Amino acid sequence: EAQVTQNPRYLITVTGKKLTVTCSQNMNHEYMSWYRQDPGLGLRQIYYSMNVEVTDKGDVPEGYKVSRKEKRNFPLILESPSPNQTSLYFCASSARDRVYNEQFFGPGTRLTVL
Amino acid sequence: LAKTTQPISMDSYEGQEVNITCSHNNIATNDYITWYQQFPSQGPRFIIQGYKTKVTNEVASLFIPADRKSSTLSLPRVSLSDTAVYYCLEVGSGAGSYQLTFGKGTKLSVIP
C-alpha cells in the first residue's frame, strides 16, 4: 500500500531533550516536506526537500533541523525542544514532477513539550 | 503568509450543494489552483486541481474564471462525512516551485 508513515504518533517530552520524528514513504517520491499545524493557524511548512541531500527552509524553520540521506526518509529533528513547538506535525511527499498536483500526507505526530 | 483568502467557516444541510469560494488576487501565471480536504486529526487529502475553466472528478467540481482571480469548489449533495476543513492553494508548476503555503482553510459543518 502506497503510504507515508510517521513515528511516533504521539510524544510527550520535556524542554531541551533532543528528539527525532521519523517520516518514511514507499512511493519513490523525490519531494518531501514537513508541516506543523496549530489551532487557528492552519498548516505551516517547516522544511522541504527536493531530493537526497537537497533541503530548504519553509515558512517556520526556526528550532528544527532535517536531513535527507535516503530518498524514502526525511526525519525532523528538534535539537532542544521548547513548549512553543507543541503542535501537530505532518510529513508529506510527492513525485517531483507532480509537486503541483498531489501531496500525500502522513497520519500526523502530536508532540507535547512540557 | 497565505496567498489566498477563503471564508473561515460554512454550514450546510445534508443533501445540499456546497460552494466554497477562494480569492487568488495575486496568482502567478504558472500557478495551479489546488484544493485539499482535512478531517480532524488526519493529514490533508488532495481533492481537485485546475488551471482554468471547469474541472470535475468523482468527488467535486472546480470552477475557475478566465481571470483566475477566484476559484469555487463545489461539493454536490453533501453528507455528514463531508464535514472537514477545506484549503485552497496556489501551487507553482515551474522550476523551483516547491514551497506550498496553506491558509487557514474553510471549516465546513454539515448538519443533519
Side-chain angles (χ1 to χ4, degrees):
Chain A
E1 179 189 356
Q3 61 182 351
V4 177
T5 57
Q6 297 178 222
N7 282 292
R9 294 290 313 280
Y10 302 90
L11 179 61
I12 301 174
T13 189
V14 295
T15 299
K17 186 177 181 181
K18 180 179 179 180
L19 66 92
T20 299
V21 183
T22 65
C23 173
S24 181
Q25 49 91 6
N26 62 1
M27 295 168 279
N28 201 36
H29 284 166
E30 292 188 343
Y31 179 89
M32 298 184 75
S33 62
W34 276 102
Y35 294 84
R36 63 176 289 173
Q37 185 170 35
D38 304 287
L41 296 178
L43 285 101
R44 294 180 291 169
Q45 193 173 45
I46 303 171
Y47 270 95
Y48 61 96
S49 169
M50 293 176 283
N51 212 330
V52 175
E53 302 292 0
V54 181
T55 63
D56 209 345
K57 297 177 181 179
D59 293 321
V60 289
E62 296 77 21
Y64 304 94
K65 286 176 57 178
V66 293
S67 69
R68 188 88 182 275
K69 294 183 170 52
E70 303 169 285
K71 195 172 187 179
R72 64 182 293 127
N73 296 323
F74 190 43
L76 180 68
I77 303 158
L78 285 72
E79 294 270 1
S80 183
S82 62
N84 64 12
Q85 292 178 297
T86 292
S87 187
L88 179 58
Y89 292 87
F90 291 102
C91 180
S93 75
S94 71
R96 182 172 185 175
D97 62 347
R98 292 164 63 85
V99 68
Y100 60 91
N101 198 348
E102 181 172 3
Q103 296 283 303
F104 293 85
F105 283 81
T109 295
R110 188 168 293 280
L111 172 66
T112 301
V113 183
L114 302 175
Chain B
L1 192 63
K3 303 178 186 179
T4 59
T5 304
Q6 53 185 124
I8 298 294
S9 64
M10 294 181 68
D11 293 334
S12 176
Y13 288 101
E14 272 191 297
Q16 290 189 331
E17 178 185 70
V18 171
N19 295 309
I20 306 174
T21 298
C22 181
S23 297
H24 306 275
N25 291 322
N26 296 298
I27 190 167
T29 301
N30 64 358
D31 281 354
Y32 279 71
I33 294 171
T34 309
W35 285 79
Y36 282 81
Q37 174 192 54
Q38 185 180 23
F39 298 113
S41 298
Q42 293 186 28
R45 182 175 72 102
F46 173 91
I47 301 176
I48 198 166
Q49 174 206 282
Y51 186 80
K52 197 182 285 186
T53 65
K54 178 181 176 181
V55 179
T56 298
N57 62 22
E58 64 277 6
V59 176
S61 295
L62 177 60
F63 300 91
I64 303 171
D67 66 4
R68 301 194 342 115
K69 296 295 186 184
S70 66
S71 66
T72 300
L73 175 72
S74 181
L75 304 172
R77 298 179 299 281
V78 294
S79 65
L80 296 177
S81 63
D82 292 315
T83 293
V85 178
Y86 293 83
Y87 298 93
C88 60
L89 284 76
E90 298 163 1
V91 187
S93 62
S97 298
Y98 294 111
Q99 185 169 0
L100 301 182
T101 301
F102 282 78
K104 297 181 181 180
T106 297
K107 184 176 182 179
L108 173 65
S109 298
V110 179
I111 307 164

